Amino acid sequence: MISLIWLLSLGLVVTAGAGTVVAYELCRRYVLGKDAGLWAVATKAARQSWRQATLIGLLAVPVAALGILTVSYLPTLGLAEVLVPLLVIGLFLLLLVFWCLPLAARFTNPTWRQVRNGFTLGLTTPSLTFLLGIAVLLAGFAVWNFMPAVFVAPGLILLWWCSLLERFFVDRGYVTSQPEEAEV
């Protein structure tokens, strides 16, 4: 269900950021085991983070366009000339989508601080960012070779990433753990 919501939101470029925030919040509620209706969580997340998520999501548009332009030079320049720019563009998109947007869903800061904090966390924890990059590449490979995986792979990556982020936030002291978890 999370994959479908996320894919539908990615259909329109303007709603991609807000859809990612809603999908992340749904995953977060699922990971934390909180009982709340799917619709109630989605509408609350969209209401709270719509503006910030849309702004952050729109930051990805020119970067993605630059990536498409870079790929178009592949036949004339060769892979060696476009590989590094593509890796930088991919890292930037990875940081925006998987670090900055979850921060917009999780914390209430001004938009510029959400972006700065997302880039700071993503670049200062290269092991998590690298692990995420590998997961995204594997999911892309799975979708490329088996098209129905598009309905499962994004949601699985989001659930896995959400559980890693929640554990990361609790371990670093950014958020407190749930009272049920503290007693166990």
Side-chain angles (χ1 to χ4, degrees):
M1 189 61 143
I2 293 169
S3 289
L4 291 176
I5 290 172
W6 198 19
L7 289 173
L8 288 175
S9 74
L10 293 175
L12 295 171
V13 175
V14 175
T15 60
T20 302
V21 165
V22 168
Y24 175 80
E25 188 62 26
L26 289 170
C27 286
R28 189 173 81 81
R29 293 291 181 151
Y30 178 77
V31 165
L32 295 176
K34 292 188 176 185
D35 287 336
L38 180 73
W39 183 251
V41 171
T43 55
K44 182 179 176 185
R47 227 177 320 119
Q48 288 179 346
S49 303
W50 172 260
R51 192 176 129 258
Q52 273 191 338
T54 302
L55 287 173
I56 293 170
L58 288 177
L59 282 174
V61 172
V63 176
L66 186 61
I68 292 169
L69 180 66
T70 305
V71 168
S72 72
Y73 282 107
L74 188 62
T76 57
L77 295 176
L79 182 63
E81 296 295 325
V82 298
L83 186 61
V84 172
L86 282 177
L87 288 174
V88 170
I89 290 167
L91 176 66
F92 189 81
L93 288 172
L94 196 74
L95 292 174
L96 276 174
V97 172
F98 287 100
W99 280 102
C100 297
L101 286 172
L103 289 179
R106 190 70 167 93
F107 302 105
T108 55
N109 288 323
T111 305
W112 67 271
R113 285 189 64 200
Q114 300 285 29
V115 172
R116 185 192 71 191
N117 292 344
F119 277 97
T120 303
L121 286 173
L123 293 173
T124 58
T125 55
S127 59
L128 281 178
T129 304
F130 184 69
L131 190 62
L132 173 65
I134 291 172
V136 168
L137 286 175
L138 288 175
F141 182 77
V143 168
W144 185 266
N145 289 313
F146 184 65
M147 219 28 171
V150 76
F151 297 111
V152 178
L156 291 176
I157 286 178
L158 206 55
L159 277 172
W160 169 74
W161 184 244
C162 182
S163 65
L164 282 178
L165 277 184
E166 286 303 311
R167 190 172 43 200
F168 174 81
F169 291 148
V170 170
D171 289 347
R172 302 296 188 289
Y174 298 131
V175 296
T176 57
S177 63
Q178 300 298 322
E180 299 85 27
E181 295 174 6
E183 294 174 0
V184 174

